[in-house]
Structure formats: C-alpha cells, structure tokens
Amino acid sequence: AMAKLLLLCLKFIVLCSTVESVFEDQVGKFDWRQQYVGKVRFAHFDTHVQSSKKVLLATEKNVFASLNTRTGELFWRHVDMTGPEGNIDALLLHGQDAVVVVGNGRQLRSWDINVGGLNWEMVLDSGSFQASCLVGQQDVVKHVAVLKKTALSLHYLSNGHQKWIENLPESEAVDYQAVYSGGNGEVYALGVVPHSHIAIVAYSLEDGEIIKQVILIHSTPWLSDIQGSCAVIGRGMLTCVDSPAVSLYTLDLHGQSEMTQIPLQSLGLEVALGFQPVLVSTQPNPARPPLSEFFLQLGPEHHLLLQLNNDQIVTLRDFKPVRNCSTTSLSCKIFYILACSLNLFSAETGRRLLDTTLIFNMDPFGGKPETLYVQAFLKKDDSVGYRVMVQTEDHTLTFIQQPGRVMWTREEALSDVVTMEMVDLPLTGTQAELEGEFGKKADGLFSMLLKRLSSQLILLQAWIAHLWKMFYDARKPRSQVKNDVTIENLSRDEFNLQKMMVMVTASGKLFGIDSKTGSILWKHYLENIPSNAAFKLMVQRTTAHFPHPPQCTLLIKDKDTGLASLHVFNPIFGKKSHVNPPALPQPILQSLMLPVMDQDYAKVLLLVDDQYKVSAFPSTKNVLQQLQEIASSIFFYLVDSSQGRLSGYRLRTDLSTELIWEIVLPTEVQKILSVKGKRPNEHVHSQGRVMGDRSVLYKYLNPNLLAVVTESTDLHQERSFVGMLLIDGVTGRIIHEAVQRKTKGPVHVVHSENWVVYEYWSTKSRRNEFSVIELYEGMELYNSTVFSSLDRPHAPQVLQQSYIFPSSISTMEATLTEKGITSRHLLIGLPSGGILSLPKMFLDPRRPEIVSEQSREENLIPYAPELLIRTEWFINYNQTVSRVRGIHTAPSGLESTCLVVAYGLDIYQTRVYPSKQFDVLKDDYDYMLISSVLFALFFATMISKRLAEVKLLNRAWR
Amino acid sequence: MAGPLPCKITVVSTVLFALCTTFVGCNNGRRVGDGMDTEFGGFSVPLEHSFEVDDVAQFRVRGALMLKAGREPGVSLAPSHLSEEDRAKLKEVAAVDGLYRIRVPRVLLQADRQTERQLEGYLTAFVRACAMVESHLSDVISLHTDVSGYLVGVSIVTLPGACRGTEVEDEVDLEVFNTTLSIVAPVNAPGPETAFFLERMEQESEKKGKNPQEQKSFFAKYWYLILGGAIFLMVSNSAQPPAGGGREQS
C-alpha cells in the first residue's frame, strides 16, 4: 500500500511538472526543424564495414557530422565553437575511428564513428598547424603524425598519447608543409625555402631520431608551395611540377640527393596558358606507399593519368575535356566527370570499365559541380559499383547512384541564411475570381448580374469537385491519402497560417520554403555574387493584387565597392520576373520602400547613390508624377558609422536631394553599433494605457523614431559605456539620450510601438542586463488624429528600467500580430539553442518597487531585479536550434497567432500565441454538448410556450 | 500606427553601414567658432540661420551663443532682431513651405580642453518656415552633448509647432526672436535596483517573522495532508484483511 501511495505521489509530481508548454501529441504538429552542417571541407566514406551507410563530413561551419548515405539524414552531429578556435584543420579516418585536428592544431580528437562518441581528446602544444597523416608499419596503422611550424609529433591512435615530439631543424628558414609516411618505419617532413630549395627530414618511427636530412641547395628556385605542386608517388618518389620550365622533377626520398628533370615536351604535353599545374597522388592505405599512378592537371578541363615506371613516366590516358578527377580506394579505380556524366577507369591500364557510366541531370537553377566524393563497392558478381556525392558551387550535396538516380540532396546553403521574408500564398482560382469581381468597376446592371451568376457557378463547380474528392479519398485507406504540397496546389488557407518563406543565403542561393511542412518548393542560384555581399529583400507587390503576380526585389550590394544590383523575382514560384531592373552604375548608399504604388500595384523602391541622386524602380511616368507631388514629404537618413555621422535628407521634385539635418557623434568618444527603426508592417491597437485611477497615459507612437546604439571607443572597464539615442528620422531631433555606464556590447536591440528593449554586458557586475525604455506623451495627446514629426513640439516622457538576465543571448525579436491587439512577447535566441518567449509585461518600466492599490489595479508586476528563465517559456521544447543568428516573425490571419522562424545553423519554424489562443476553439471542444444543450433549450422553450398557451386558454375559459 | 500620416513621411529603416562617404557639406568656407572666446570659463560660438526661397542654404549669423563650460554648462543667447528685409523674406519662404534652418559649429564644451583639437563641420537642424512665422519667432533650441562634452546635435522646435495657415498681420510680431535655449547632456540610465529590492525582501521577511500567525507548527500547517494520508492508509488497510483472511483459510 505504501508503494502504491508513493507511486501515486510520483505520478502526481510528474503530471504537475509537465502541465505547461506543448502537449506530447502536439509535437511536430505546428513546428518543424531542419538541421544542417554547412559547406563540406572534408568528406570520407566509412569503408571498414562492407555494408556501411555512413559518410563523415567536416565542414567550414566547424561541424563534424555523420550522414546516412541512404537517406541523407544526420546520424549525429557535433557543433564546435565558431571562429578559428573550432576550425577543423584535418580529418583522418581509420577503421571506426575518425581523428580530427581542431583549432589550428590546438586539439587532436578521436571520435567513434558508429555512435559519434568521443574516444579521446589531446591538447597539443601551441604552434600553427601544417599537415597531418596516419602512420603505419607492416600493414598496421597505429599512429598519427601532426606537423606544426616548428615540431613534428607522433601520437598513438588508441589513446592519443604522444609517442614523441621532435623539433624541426632550421624551422625559422624552412617552411615545412607536408608530412609523409610510406609504411617503412620512417616519417618524412617535407619543407621548402620558397624560391630556393627543398629540405627533407626523415625521422625514425620508433624514437623520433633523425635518420637522414637532405637539403638540396639552390635546387628549386621555382617552388614555393609543396601542397599543390608536389606529391609522393610510388615507392617514395617525390615528384614536383614546375610550370615555367614545363617540367616534372623527381627525387627518390630513400636514395638520391639530386633531382631528375623530365621535360613535359618529352611526353608530348603542354600546359594551358596561365594555369598552375596540379599533381595529385593517391595513398589508399597509410601503411603502404602510394600508387605509382597519379594525376596531373594541366588546364581547367585537362587531366592526365600518368604512371611512374622504373623512373620513367608513361602517359596512361589523356582526359580532355574533363572537369574533375578523383580516385577511390577500392582496387584503385579512377573516376572522371565530363560535363554531366561520370565514368570509371582502371588505374593500372587507364581503360574504361564497362557499365560504369553515370549520368546526372544538373539543376538548371543550381551551381556547377565543385567536388566529387566517390564511394565504390563490390557488387555480388564481383564487378565494381559506385555511388557519388557531388558538392556544387551553391553548397548543395547530391548523392547519386548508378545509372543516375538521385538518392537525396541536402541544401547546405540553408545553414547560412542572411535574410528572409514571409509572403502570403496566392488565393485559389475560385477565390481569385470572387476577388476580381469586387475589384472590377461596375459596367451596367446586366453584365454585373451575369458576372455574379458565372462566379456563383464556378463556386458551385469547385464545391462539387471538393465533395467528389472527399468521397473518393474516404474509400482509400488513410495512409494512402497524401497531402503533398507542390507548387501547383499552393493556396492560402483559411487563416493564412501557411506562407511562403523566401530565404536568402550567403552563397547567393534563394529558396522558397513552405512554412507548414518545411519542404523546399523552389530554389534559384544567383551566380557571381561577391563573397562579402550584403542583401536586402523587399516585397514590392504582395499576392493581394490578382492578376498581377507578386513581386520581390533583392538588393545585392558589394560591401567594399558599394556597387549594387537588383534581382526581381516572383516569390511564389521563384522565377525571375520579366520586369527589367535598372542598371546601377553608381555605388548605392541607401534604399527605401515607399508606400506609393504604381498603376500595377508595385510599391516604389527608391535608391540613393553616392552622388545623393535618387532613382526610382519602377520608374514609369505615373510613378515619377506621384513622386513629384509628394517629394517634399519624403525624407530619408544616411548613417556613416566610420565618421559617426547621421544625416537627414529631403527629396526634391527633380529627384535630387538636400541635406536638412546633421548629427555627428565624435568617433574618438563613441562608435555607432546599430540603428533600428520600427517595422513598417507593425500595427498598434491601443494608443494609451489605462492607469489605476482610470485616466489614460498616451503612448508616444512616432513611426519615424530611430534607436541609435553606440558603444564607447574607450573599452576600459571603468570608462566604457553603451549609449542609446532616440532620434526622429525626419527632423533629426534628439528625443532622448542615455548612457549606461560601465557596460559594453554586443548590444541586441528591439524597437517597437513606444518601447526600445536592449541587452548589453555589464562590466562592473559581470552579467548580462536588459534595459527597457518606454515613451509616453502624457495624460493628453497633442494631436490625436495624425502624427507628424514636423509638429510635435513637446518632448515625450521617458521611463526606463533595467533587469538582470541570467544568460547571454544570440538574437532578439518581438512577436508581431495582424492588428496588434495581442500582447507582445520578446523572442530571445539563447546560445544554448533554446528560444525563449519572454512576455513584454516583465520588461515594463512602470513595474512598481512598492506595490500600491493603483498598480495592482493596473496589473503591474512588482519590480524584481532579476528576470527568470522559466522552462515552460521555451517555445522549441527539446528542438535545439544551433547557433541562432536571426528570428523572423510574421503575422498570420488569426490575431492570436504569430509565425516564428529562427535560423542559424538550423532552421526552426513554429507558431506562438502570446495571449493564448483566444480566438480559436480548442481541439477537444465539445460540439456535441453545446449543440445538444442548444437543441434541448430550443425544445424546452417550444414546449413551455405551448404549455403557457394552454394554461392561458384554460384561464380564459374559467 | 496612429492613423495615416499627414504627408506620408517615410523613413528608411535599413542602414547601409560599411560605406565611407565623402561628405559634401554646406560649409561655405567661413570658419567660425574659434578665437571668439570672451570671458573666463566661457566662450561664444555663432548661431547661424538660413531661409531662402529656392531652399539653397545660405547661412548668416543670427546671434552669438554664450556657452559656459564646466561641470554645469549653461548657454545664453543675446536677443536678436530680424530686419525688415528678412521679415519679408521669411514670410515669402513660409508661403512656399520652405525651411528655416539653423546651424552651430561642432565644439567641445570644456574650456580647458578647447585647444586640444579643432573639430570640423557643423550641426544642422530645421523647422518649417511657416511654423516659425505662425509662432511669432518663438523657438526652443536645445544643444545636445555627449558624455565628454562634445556637441553632437542641435534641435529646434517652435511653440506652437503647427502650420495652420493663419496670416501674421502684425510686422512687430516677427521682429524679436523669443528663444528658449538649453544644453542637454545624456542621462545616466538606471541599472538593476538590487539594493532596494533586497532591503524590501528583508523587511518582508522580518514582518513575517514578527507575525505570530505565520509561525504555525508543522501539524498546524499540514494537518489536512496528514489526515488525508492517514485516511488513505486506513482505507487501504481495511481493504486488505479479506484477501489476507482468504489466504489463511486455504
């Protein structure tokens, strides 16, 4: 009985603690997460088990992961630190251990590839990393060698312990770049003095003793880089290629001390003009010497398969035009890629193997193939089969099987989303028809009647089709009824909860993703995007203007030169628009979207160039005329953070500009970190707050207000500060200026309604703090009908309060709803991967320190200096979002619901309900009960009415 | 937000940072502001204004701002007049909805560090000329400084601020500026109020400690739980005997 009681108590506790947050059956219903790894730097197929389906990836995002080659899903993933500390320098695979060198040779780690667990980790001596290799002897690989700038060390593969470390001779002069071992008990460090000579040091595997040291004085005046120009081939023959002399040089590591020159002309070969030839050798087993066959690339599309045979070089095959060659370990076969087809060749003979052609269709909106990773295997009939993983320029990984079937693709560009927008889906044909009817101008009674009848007919038709589909689907088993979202059947749902997510990635690839399922509906790779490009995505025309297609414009700007280009596209289908964007010969300083529309309902985009001239897009006559009319009321601002200058301009009727205000923050005191305006699609429902005494405190709702965040140039702990300037963007009037002493950045800011929330690091108390500023006009409004920056002479009341926050944050955004009735929450991305939904109520400068009757009346929470993180506030429960960089919020058709997308390394989409679902009936709403009660009441009234009538009649008779 | 704006004022929310613009300013060659030091601890800088029908700025001196540097900086402006000609021009500018601009040179409001470095350029601000006229030249000018006393911005508003199109008949109204001047330094933003909160917590706990009602015994606090547990135990015990008894019999 006691045990029962205990169990009951336990159950009770467990139930109580899981009451809030998502219900188990709601997991994954309204949210989804996609995990990415980034652009691949190293990839190795797991070969130690024949039927293995793993591929190990080390990426430029400092992620080490294992993928399932059948499905492309992640088995496991390890996300290291960002920046150079977590940079993966090398990945070596041996059996079921993967050895990884991390952080410029700072750490050496071994992972178990089956489960992704850490075998061991060693911290290495400092020194910049050069190269590493596995070292074997007598067919057994037991060690890994790590070459650094000044030392060579050898570690056991089993536990990571250092076997020996030896300093490299003359390491100040010689640049050691490669390490090589051929399985004969020696480890070679290969170094070069650029444009002078080669130095080779051979160490004994057993004790690190220098066996031999070869320095070839004045031998290689042409050589500067060993990695690309040289390779060890066959039984220890160092081969280098010299492009000016058009020759190959060979040197026997074991014997000779003289290089042999072999002119390429003697082989009948020529180097493409201006191309640096590349030598590639293959060492399938680290305990054995490399193959005597090797590749020589002589041009961008010209490869050669050569063989070193008794000091003689023989051409086995000339591959031309061939873009990419690689070797695979299994019985040493070679692949090559020719435009869009792959072939398998024997390395020994250079002959093509039968039935090994693989054709793949490149995505017309994708990039060109960059790297191939080939997995070869023996089929049952002992012939060789293979699969290939192709990485293209747009960071897409495609896994292809013979004869060309795409098994999966991974869009790794999505690991680096820069900006995004959520666009409403178009209406269905019938809805559009109805809309169109109301949109058109009336032309006669009869034609209107006809139109009405025809649209009613179309509706009826659609309804019958819907009924038929329902009837048809009902007969099928439930599992077969699929609701696949394709680009054809996209249409807006009842509450506009499903939207198109248009995502722009750093690689220049654009994606259209269905927000409900997360499936990629379209993708478009933009070529020739500069690597340091800044992107700005704008929606010029929404889907509301049928039959005009929606239109998005992407401004791509080179950060160094300021030169920009425009890409105009349809956000629903991803197609490039027929509208030709203007060429922009001048660097662009600023772009602004006006609420003015042209006759085709496209909003006007203004671009300001470095001559302070303004150009409009679209620039039709209609637009120019409208611009002339309203020019004197178009103001914009420019920020030059390098000089600390903020300046305001006004548009003139001839589309030139005039400077009207100027603020200069001296750069020797403070620098501008960011300037934040308000979101243009934000609605504020209530103009004021009702106080405890029933009076109203009016909000200062200036749509032109800018929050300028600055940080002191002097970063000394005592003198550093974070500044917050609130500036009117039209008049340049400084509304408020505050400094937070003894604090420093990074500062995260959210600016909305009449408040600014920002987060900073307090150097004095060594903690993260939040501060909130709220602006109020006071007890009466100056002008309640309209707001004009030019006519608001009184400065607003400013209230501010600060709080301690127990965690650092990665990014911050506020929720956004259709009409702004729902209370606001702050969505905070934490470095731990959680996304916190913090009610704005807790960040309210009117929170009283001493509770009074009035503050209780107003529902103000008493002030507490610390903001707590409650676990039920995490909107992504256990769906960790790695390295959150941005959160995008968008309103849905339901006032209570706000759509949220968090992006970083992963992408997570969900819905939040800041004021609970006040406009939605619950899932378990009892329709039966309410309808039966209704019917019962109805009948009760009927019966009682009848009874009353009878009674009245009886009384009348009496 | 609060209804449609009167004139669709648009402010751009994007900031393109990494641009290094070579600034084309309205510095028309004259360098003023230095060498005008008058008395000990204070100095003066010219306040200039410009109102032109074609809106091409041509700044002329409106008066001298007497700045008092130090811990509590002050500012004053000698009352200045508008000439007959200027009055007519201002009304003309107001009629075409032109701008009335002012500018001050960038200075450091610390007398002892005046000579350290010369600052280039001006800080400018504007109001609509009609607002200036309709308010009978009553303006409020504030000079904003940063933490180290550099002048970073200037702002001007008129009281009242609206342009209602009322005619200003009397020329005398436009003769003398009625200026309110102030220097605004950044305020220190409050940090988290931990000391006060802890004090309050202590007071509350003390209050609780004094209140005898709060000091209930263990049984007094949890009697219902104990009672419930006891009843539960009794019930489960009384339910068992029949089963146990049955086993004994067999």
Side-chain angles (χ1 to χ4, degrees), chain A residues 536 557 589-591 633 635 637 650 658-659 662 664 668-669 730 737 739-741 786-787 802 849 863 865, chain B residues 4 6-7 9-10 12 14 16 19 23 55 101 117 124 145 148 152 161 187-190 193 197 200 232:
Chain A
K536 188 181 175 188
K557 185 181 145 177
L589 298 185
Q590 179 69 288
S591 66
S633 58
F635 298 83
Y637 69 90
R650 183 163 81 155
E658 57 179 331
L659 180 83
E662 215 179 351
V664 188
E668 52 266 42
V669 180
V730 169
E737 193 184 356
V739 288
Q740 206 96 36
R741 303 241 178 213
V786 282
F787 187 97
S802 300
E849 277 169 357
Y863 180 76
Chain B
C7 44
I9 291 157
T10 308
V12 195
T14 341
L16 304 171
L19 22 117
F23 173 68
D55 254 352
R101 304 148 188 262
R117 214 183 65 94
T124 48
T145 67
S148 28
V152 296
V187 296
N188 278 329
E193 288 281 343
F197 182 75
R200 208 185 69 202
F232 186 80

Side-chain angles (χ1 to χ4, degrees), chain A residues 385-404:
Chain A
Y386 68 101
R387 302 184 191 100
V388 63
M389 188 167 76
V390 185
Q391 172 161 288
T392 44
E393 286 170 334
D394 53 348
H395 305 183
T396 307
L397 284 180
T398 314
F399 198 73
I400 307 165
Q401 200 179 27
Q402 273 177 285

Side-chain angles (χ1 to χ4, degrees), chain B residues 31 34 106 114-120:
Chain B
R31 174 79 211 149
D34 31 287
R106 289 176 61 198
Q114 268 302 301
T115 47
E116 258 182 38
R117 214 183 65 94
Q118 296 298 336
L119 295 163
E120 283 292 320

Side-chain angles (χ1 to χ4, degrees), chain A residues 162-211:
Chain A
Q162 187 174 292
K163 184 167 183 176
W164 50 259
I165 179 163
E166 292 296 327
N167 284 328
L168 295 163
E170 294 174 52
S171 58
E172 306 87 44
V174 184
D175 186 11
Y176 289 93
Q177 292 178 343
V179 58
Y180 159 77
S181 164
N184 59 354
E186 290 172 6
V187 183
Y188 294 87
L190 309 177
V192 63
V193 177
H195 308 295
S196 174
H197 61 268
I198 281 184
I200 297 157
V201 190
Y203 291 92
S204 159
L205 175 61
E206 287 310 313
D207 50 6
E209 195 187 327
I210 295 181
I211 297 172

Side-chain angles (χ1 to χ4, degrees), chain A residues 854-911:
Chain A
Q854 291 208 345
S855 69
R856 209 171 288 147
E857 187 88 353
E858 243 186 286
N859 275 334
L860 290 174
I861 306 161
Y863 180 76
E866 192 176 11
L867 294 172
L868 296 173
I869 294 181
R870 292 198 202 156
T871 42
E872 68 263 25
W873 283 347
F874 285 105
I875 56 169
N876 57 338
Y877 47 106
N878 65 355
Q879 306 279 310
T880 310
V881 188
S882 287
R883 293 194 197 143
V884 191
R885 247 196 349 269
I887 294 174
H888 183 88
T889 51
S892 72
L894 282 174
E895 173 53 33
S896 66
T897 310
C898 169
L899 304 176
V900 179
V901 181
Y903 54 86
L905 188 63
D906 302 341
I907 296 175
Y908 180 72
Q909 191 278 144
T910 189
R911 300 173 190 170

